[in-house]
């Protein structure tokens, strides 16, 4: 089953609206998170520091400027600061903001609340505390691959409701149906008399190839026209329908990105360090690419993200959250 991301989002939004009989759910677009304050965790750290068990100045999950607003809004446990200067508070922050997640970056940047004793030259503990190391991989990992994608309405028998791969030992091409099918044609035609219907097809192509940091940086500065020319430079002499399909691709659908991934164990290891001396409460969770981003070659990224939804819902059902 394949469905364009935009259509899937519309389906989910419609289902949400149909189940929201009291109109209590609101979706607000155009907001970009700058930072957050996880009040339950910060308050617990304050208690530990007051009891002399925690390290002075240890940061929880809030930046210095966001911690200043810790007591400014007491409505809900998590305070959100947006890039447009506005703020809001929520019961639970679900970081579903992709591979370059702001929530994940802040979470993994948090310092452990307890220091470790530093050994003196004679092997005795000097009594001086040093900060516990933050996780080595705060940012996603570069995998050394760049990918260029485009969407075209080019028609060819090889790509009519089919997906396939082509490789030349360096570059990899993947094509898949993006929109339209024979069933869609029949439904749109509406005649049902067996006549050949009008054909409506859109195909997504994806070319990936090895690229070091400098090449990724250069490609990242290219315009869509430049990226399309780069694709043709690399494989313009390949078999049809690929060259013709690329040439006919509207530049408005062409874009490229460096591939990144993240080991989900980073969060488990970091959490274990934060809780080395006791459990810390938190109202922040991560799902999808924010927690376990992966390369697209197994086609599992979206599937794993969708599986996170019911899993999160099951844990929320067991929780003591009021809303």
């Amino acid at each position: 089953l394949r469905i364009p991301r935009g259509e899937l989002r519309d389906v989910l939004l419609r289902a949400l609206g149909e189940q929201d009989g009291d109109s209590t759910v609101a979706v607000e677009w155009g907001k970009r998170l700058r930072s957050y304050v996880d009040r339950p965790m910060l308050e617990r750290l304050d208690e530990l520091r007051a009891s002399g068990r925690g390290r002075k100045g240890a940061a929880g999950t809030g930046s210095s400027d966001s911690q200043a607003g810790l007591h400014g809004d007491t409505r809900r446990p998590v305070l959100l600061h947006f890039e447009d200067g506005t703020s809001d508070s929520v019961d639970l922050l679900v970081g579903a903001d992709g591979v370059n997640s702001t929530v994940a970056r802040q979470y993994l940047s948090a310092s452990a609340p307890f220091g470790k004793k530093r050994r003196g030259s004679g092997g005795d503990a000097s009594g001086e505390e040093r900060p516990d190391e933050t996780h080595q991989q705060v940012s996603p990992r570069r995998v050394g691959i760049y990918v260029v994608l485009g969407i075209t309405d080019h028609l060819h028998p090889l790509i009519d409701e089919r997906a396939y791969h082509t490789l030349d030992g360096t570059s990899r091409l993947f094509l898949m149906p993006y929109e339209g099918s024979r069933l869609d044609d029949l439904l749109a035609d509406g005649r049902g008399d067996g006549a050949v219907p009008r054909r409506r097809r859109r195909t997504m192509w994806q070319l990936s190839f090895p690229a070091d940091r400098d090449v990724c940086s250069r490609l990242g500065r290219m315009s869509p026209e430049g990226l399309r020319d780069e694709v043709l430079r690399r494989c313009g002499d390949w078999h049809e329908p690929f060259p013709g399909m690329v040439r006919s691709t509207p530049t408005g659908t062409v874009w490229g990105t460096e591939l990144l991934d993240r080991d989900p164990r980073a969060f488990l290891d970091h959490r274990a360090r934060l809780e080395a001396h006791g459990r810390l409460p938190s109202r922040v969770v991560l799902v999808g690419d924010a927690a376990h981003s992966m390369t697209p070659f197994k086609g599992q990224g979206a599937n794993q993200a969708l599986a996170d939804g019911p899993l999160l819902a099951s844990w929320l059902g067991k929780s003591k959250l009021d809303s």
Side-chain angles (χ1 to χ4, degrees), residues 3-17:
I3 181 171
R5 187 182 301 259
E7 287 189 19
L8 176 59
R9 185 181 66 185
D10 291 341
V11 169
L12 294 175
L13 284 173
R14 284 199 300 270
L16 179 64

Side-chain angles (χ1 to χ4, degrees), residues 113-233:
F114 303 95
K116 294 183 178 179
K117 298 294 184 180
R118 178 181 297 164
R119 294 288 175 181
S121 57
D124 297 328
S126 65
E128 182 182 358
E129 291 187 339
R130 64 178 174 81
D132 192 12
E133 295 179 357
T134 56
H135 197 273
Q136 297 178 357
Q137 194 65 41
V138 172
S139 299
R141 183 177 70 96
R142 298 172 181 266
V143 299
I145 297 175
Y146 199 87
V147 61
V148 183
L149 304 93
I151 301 173
T152 179
D153 56 3
H154 188 77
L155 290 175
H156 190 279
L158 282 178
I159 59 175
D160 189 10
E161 294 190 88
R162 297 178 180 178
Y164 73 84
H165 300 258
T166 295
L167 305 93
D168 69 353
T170 301
S171 300
R172 168 189 176 272
L173 167 69
F174 172 61
L175 296 95
M176 60 172 283
Y178 182 78
E179 190 174 22
S181 66
R182 280 170 287 185
L183 177 59
D184 290 334
D185 290 339
L186 289 169
L187 293 174
D189 188 74
R191 292 181 298 182
D193 57 4
V196 177
R198 297 185 297 275
R199 303 182 67 189
R200 304 168 181 87
R201 301 286 187 277
R202 298 181 78 196
T203 299
M204 185 189 77
W205 54 264
Q206 177 192 99
L207 183 74
S208 55
F209 45 86
D212 60 24
R213 180 176 300 197
D214 291 339
V215 172
C216 288
S217 178
R218 176 178 62 83
L219 294 173
R221 295 190 299 270
M222 281 188 175
S223 65
E225 293 83 357
L227 286 174
R228 187 174 62 181
D229 292 343
E230 178 69 16
V231 170
L232 290 171
R233 183 186 71 79

